[in-house]
Amino acid sequence: MVKAYEDQQFADLRKQCQQSGKLFEDPLFPPTDQSLFYHENRIGKVTWKRPKELCDDPHLFVHGISAHDLHQGQLGNCWFVAACSSLASREPLWQKVIPDWKDQEWDEKRPEAYAGIFHFRFWRFGSWMDVVIDDRLPTANGNLVYCHSNDKNEFWSALLEKAYAKMYGCYEALDGGNTADALVDFTGGVSEPVELLEGHFGQDEEARNQLFERVLKVQQRGGLISCSIRATSQADMEARLDCGLVKGHAYAVTDVRKVRLGHGLLAFFKAEKLSMIRLRNPWGEREWNGPWSDSSEQWQKVSKSEREKLGVVVQDDGEFWMDFEDFTKYYTDLILCRLINTSYLSVHKTWEEVVHFGSWVHEDDPLKNRAGGCVNHKATYLQNPQYVFDVKKPEDEVLICLQQRDRRARPKEGKGENLAIGFDIQRVELNRKYRMHISQQKICSSVYINSRSVFMRNDLKEGRYVIIPTTFNPRLQGDFLLRVFTDVPSECKELTVDQPPQTCWTGLCGYPTLVTQVHVMKGAGLQAQDSDGSSDPYVVISCEGEKVCSPVHKDTLTPDFDVKALFYRKKSKGSILIRVYNKNVLNDSFMGQVTLSADVQDAQHQTVRLRDKSQSSDLPGMLSVSVLTSNVLTGI
């Protein structure tokens, strides 16, 4: 679904202009300094001109669209221009960002169709936004001030930049930003940051090869990639290294390849391949001058046909190739923007996506407060929103992206700084359906940072988990978008209720007054059930008519069950039954049981012996069990 930004409908506005014979003038983004700067003019006299005032034959595209079209102007938005360079190499993506581009193009045969109005689309906070602009562009001395093309009569990049600036409030709002945000805005994907220094990819060959395969996969599946060399001080910003690379500057990755070395049949049969990556400087100049640079002698190791496939051009156009090992030694930060495939008809991996919109809202009532801050604030941490999801495979790769509503887009209202956000993942009971009031086993955490989005990729074992998205400090309010991707449906949903609700039957049937957590940790000495002397055990925990079944553990007599169950109990002296079974094709076999009576239910880390169903005789095997009981709300 596409939403009209500020309710400006492109088709209606263009039709009105065509009927009236007047070119569109956007009242929401006028040709004034207010659209250029926060407070005051910093570049001198600016004249706003339409493309036809700058050249005789304007076009959106001249000889198609290319990463070489873009040149950064008098604005520190290399992050945006680098993202545009990546976008230009992906036709399905730029056609979504520049919709109906053929219809929007200047047409000499239909001059009456031109109305001085254009529109572009960006993915913002879960929806595609259609942004309308007029084509009055800021110029100085007859030249475009900001982003421009090699060709004087090509305007797609300048118009796209204006639409993006409108969405952010003014051009100056684009001065300094995050390439990851722009990549997401162009695709609706999720951006994963990779810190190359911390990962030691320059020294660890195995880790580097694994990273290259990840980068190659993102590239082959249509994703966008950017990178940079971190500047450690203001003086380092845009400082040029001896190798030609620039610090504190965003580069676009325009290709990733495994290049065959050698000539003729030798190149075809030789096993040696070089991992290569192609980058582009948004300035359109200043390239890498090390091995495999444009005029490097290393290219003699590659056949002419292979060089032609790679598009190796000896000119200072800002684009160059590097060996991936050199890349990981010089660059410090890499951004992989994945296009998350949710189509069941695709030959590539398909993800199951769940999307939730939420808010951090401060309330004085602890049960209503949803702005508790990070885990450092123990008294309020679990008052944050909570989302439960299931991992249904023995192990599954899970992608989680937390995005806040961008405050940079409205800096003039005093909301220019994003909140520091992050999230934790805790493993909980298999039957958890009410909010947590005591922290459980923390599996992993994201970083906490004041960026628009935070991403984490992790392999999780089968079980139930709770995501707790938070601001770093408590009492801060804001909206967020949570996206969870798994291989199989995760049934992700928000936990909104604190305890079992009162119903009309509560008076007759009773209301739970106790909550009990049963944690079966390990089994030992179980009796062999299979012909090969092994077994496939699982545990069933029962209490007051409710049952919780653990996953099956294959081929083991010492299973690490690590399974939790949660029971809201009406009878304080009722028993809890734990049974162990062996999974069989036709009929599961009983391996023993344990009955926990009232006198052991508050004991921690008990080791209990398995017995037969009559409880009259012991069976081989022991279980390590923990039980925690408390009242309903102040407890688990």
Side-chain angles (χ1 to χ4, degrees):
M1 180 180 175
V2 179
K3 298 180 180 179
Y5 182 73
E6 298 290 356
D7 204 29
Q8 287 182 302
Q9 301 289 340
F10 170 75
D12 294 343
L13 291 171
R14 184 170 70 166
K15 186 176 181 180
Q16 292 172 14
C17 292
Q18 290 170 339
Q19 291 175 345
S20 67
K22 295 182 179 179
L23 297 181
F24 179 62
E25 296 182 355
D26 187 2
L28 301 184
F29 204 63
T32 64
D33 283 357
Q34 181 183 1
S35 298
L36 296 174
F37 312 103
Y38 290 149
H39 303 298
E40 59 183 16
N41 188 322
R42 297 183 180 181
I43 60 175
K45 182 175 174 55
V46 172
T47 304
W48 295 75
K49 293 186 178 183
R50 296 186 189 269
K52 285 195 173 183
E53 299 176 88
L54 295 171
C55 65
D56 295 329
D57 184 29
H59 290 280
L60 273 179
F61 307 122
V62 175
H63 306 303
I65 183 173
S66 165
H68 296 276
D69 296 341
L70 293 127
H71 290 276
Q72 184 182 341
Q74 298 181 39
L75 193 64
N77 65 340
C78 61
W79 60 278
F80 170 76
V81 180
C84 288
S85 295
S86 297
L87 176 70
S89 64
R90 300 294 191 189
E91 184 173 343
L93 297 181
W94 68 253
Q95 287 191 1
K96 198 165 189 176
V97 174
I98 312 175
D100 314 314
W101 64 273
K102 290 183 179 179
D103 184 53
Q104 294 199 71
E105 181 66 90
W106 280 268
D107 189 347
E108 293 180 356
K109 298 179 180 178
R110 296 190 306 123
E112 73 282 354
Y114 169 70
I117 184 172
F118 293 85
H119 69 132
F120 300 87
R121 289 176 182 169
F122 308 105
W123 190 90
R124 298 288 286 181
F125 205 66
S127 301
W128 283 94
M129 304 296 296
D130 192 81
V131 181
V132 172
I133 58 167
D134 62 39
D135 61 354
R136 295 176 291 183
L137 297 169
T139 70
N141 301 318
N143 297 312
L144 291 174
V145 174
Y146 300 128
C147 189
H148 55 279
S149 175
N150 273 335
D151 296 291
K152 295 291 186 181
N153 62 332
E154 183 176 62
F155 291 94
W156 73 268
S157 60
L159 293 170
L160 176 67
E161 182 185 48
K162 180 175 181 178
Y164 205 67
K166 175 181 177 179
M167 192 170 61
Y168 269 84
C170 67
Y171 276 91
E172 191 181 353
L174 306 185
D175 193 357
N178 191 334
T179 308
D181 293 344
L183 295 178
V184 171
D185 290 341
F186 292 160
T187 63
V190 294
S191 284
E192 175 186 4
V194 180
E195 295 185 342
L196 300 175
L197 279 180
E198 286 76 358
H200 303 290
F201 296 106
Q203 298 80 34
D204 188 334
E205 183 178 2
E206 183 179 354
R208 182 171 61 249
N209 291 339
Q210 291 175 355
L211 176 62
F212 181 80
E213 293 300 327
R214 280 168 57 195
V215 175
L216 182 63
K217 186 180 294 184
V218 171
Q219 173 74 11
Q220 290 176 337
R221 296 186 180 179
L224 302 183
I225 308 171
S226 178
C227 59
S228 62
I229 302 173
R230 197 177 307 156
T232 55
S233 67
Q234 190 62 36
D236 263 356
M237 289 298 294
E238 298 190 346
R240 187 174 183 179
L241 303 175
D242 292 339
C243 64
L245 302 177
V246 181
K247 282 188 170 185
H249 185 61
Y251 288 77
V253 174
T254 55
D255 204 354
V256 183
R257 297 278 187 96
K258 289 186 176 180
V259 179
R260 290 181 182 274
L261 300 181
H263 298 264
L265 291 177
L266 180 63
F268 185 79
F269 290 107
K270 196 173 182 179
E272 186 179 359
K273 290 184 179 180
L274 202 62
S275 298
M276 301 283 286
I277 186 167
R278 189 176 69 191
L279 303 99
R280 185 174 188 276
N281 186 336
W283 291 344
E285 57 181 2
R286 298 192 185 180
E287 299 182 2
W288 159 255
N289 56 31
W292 301 99
S293 55
D294 286 357
S295 56
S296 170
E297 62 182 16
Q298 276 85 0
W299 285 111
Q300 299 305 314
K301 300 177 182 179
V302 178
S303 66
K304 181 180 178 181
S305 61
E306 188 78 0
R307 291 199 302 270
E308 289 175 351
K309 288 179 184 178
L310 296 172
V312 178
V313 179
V314 182
Q315 64 183 59
D316 190 17
D317 57 359
E319 193 167 52
F320 54 88
W321 285 92
M322 292 182 74
D323 175 87
F324 196 69
E325 182 176 355
D326 283 334
F327 170 80
T328 57
K329 288 179 179 178
Y330 283 93
Y331 284 87
T332 61
D333 295 275
L334 177 68
I335 298 171
L336 304 176
C337 184
R338 285 181 168 88
L339 301 185
I340 304 298
N341 178 28
T342 56
S343 170
Y344 291 108
L345 302 178
S346 173
V347 295
H348 296 306
K349 179 177 176 65
T350 298
W351 295 87
E352 296 285 343
E353 179 184 19
V354 178
V355 178
H356 287 286
F357 293 90
S359 299
W360 293 293
V361 179
H362 175 65
E363 296 279 357
D364 291 331
D365 185 346
L367 292 181
K368 295 181 180 179
N369 184 43
R370 293 295 179 266
C374 71
V375 71
N376 296 344
H377 307 276
K378 299 186 184 300
T380 57
Y381 167 63
L382 289 178
Q383 295 171 12
N384 285 294
Q386 300 178 10
Y387 296 85
V388 65
F389 72 97
D390 292 326
V391 173
K392 299 179 180 178
K393 298 169 59 178
E395 189 170 80
D396 194 6
E397 183 182 27
V398 179
L399 311 182
I400 299 174
C401 182
L402 175 66
Q403 179 178 334
Q404 62 182 309
R405 190 181 295 278
D406 199 344
R407 299 184 173 212
R408 282 172 49 95
R410 286 291 177 261
K412 296 176 184 178
E413 299 173 7
K415 301 177 181 177
E417 291 299 323
N418 285 323
L419 302 172
I421 62 171
F423 57 87
D424 297 328
I425 299 179
Q426 297 191 17
R427 192 175 187 190
V428 297
E429 306 86 358
L430 288 178
N431 60 337
R432 163 70 64 177
K433 56 185 178 181
Y434 301 114
R435 287 177 55 84
M436 290 191 301
H437 297 282
I438 292 179
S439 288
Q440 299 201 41
Q441 180 189 6
K442 186 167 80 169
I443 300 299
C444 51
S445 296
S446 73
V447 297
Y448 275 80
I449 190 170
N450 62 342
S451 67
R452 196 178 73 183
S453 62
V454 176
F455 173 85
M456 186 174 67
R457 176 173 53 87
N458 214 310
D459 294 324
L460 298 180
K461 294 181 179 179
E462 186 173 0
R464 180 162 290 187
Y465 299 84
V466 167
I467 306 169
I468 306 176
T470 83
T471 58
F472 187 77
N473 292 316
R475 306 172 71 91
L476 298 178
Q477 302 193 123
D479 299 325
F480 64 82
L481 169 65
L482 180 67
R483 304 169 75 187
V484 180
F485 302 91
T486 51
D487 190 45
V488 297
S490 66
E491 315 297 338
C492 182
K493 60 184 178 181
E494 184 177 5
L495 297 175
T496 58
V497 181
D498 288 285
Q499 59 187 2
Q502 299 274 359
T503 68
C504 58
W505 301 104
T506 300
L508 294 174
C509 303
Y511 182 78
T513 57
L514 295 176
V515 57
T516 299
Q517 182 196 75
V518 182
H519 184 190
V520 181
M521 289 165 279
K522 294 184 177 182
L526 302 182
Q527 184 178 28
Q529 297 289 326
D530 295 343
S531 58
D532 61 358
S534 183
S535 62
D536 302 326
Y538 65 93
V539 164
V540 178
I541 309 171
S542 307
C543 180
E544 294 191 8
E546 185 177 356
K547 293 183 179 181
V548 175
C549 182
S550 79
V552 175
H553 293 255
K554 294 286 187 180
D555 300 323
T556 180
L557 294 174
T558 57
D560 187 2
F561 288 118
D562 192 20
V563 58
K564 295 179 183 178
L566 192 67
F567 301 103
Y568 289 84
R569 302 170 57 205
K570 300 172 185 176
K571 303 174 183 177
S572 61
K573 295 185 179 181
S575 61
I576 298 172
L577 183 63
I578 303 173
R579 289 188 171 182
V580 184
Y581 291 90
N582 179 48
K583 186 69 178 177
N584 294 313
V585 176
L586 297 178
N587 187 36
D588 297 348
S589 54
F590 175 76
M591 300 181 72
Q593 69 180 29
V594 174
T595 301
L596 301 179
S597 56
D599 58 347
V600 298
Q601 286 181 13
D602 290 326
Q604 297 289 312
H605 302 292
Q606 284 284 309
T607 299
V608 290
R609 179 170 294 280
L610 293 177
R611 310 200 72 182
D612 62 21
K613 291 184 179 179
S614 66
Q615 291 290 313
S616 61
S617 59
D618 291 340
L619 294 172
M622 307 285 288
L623 290 181
S624 176
V625 178
S626 171
V627 181
L628 176 64
T629 298
S630 57
N631 69 47
V632 173
L633 252 187
T634 61
I636 298 167

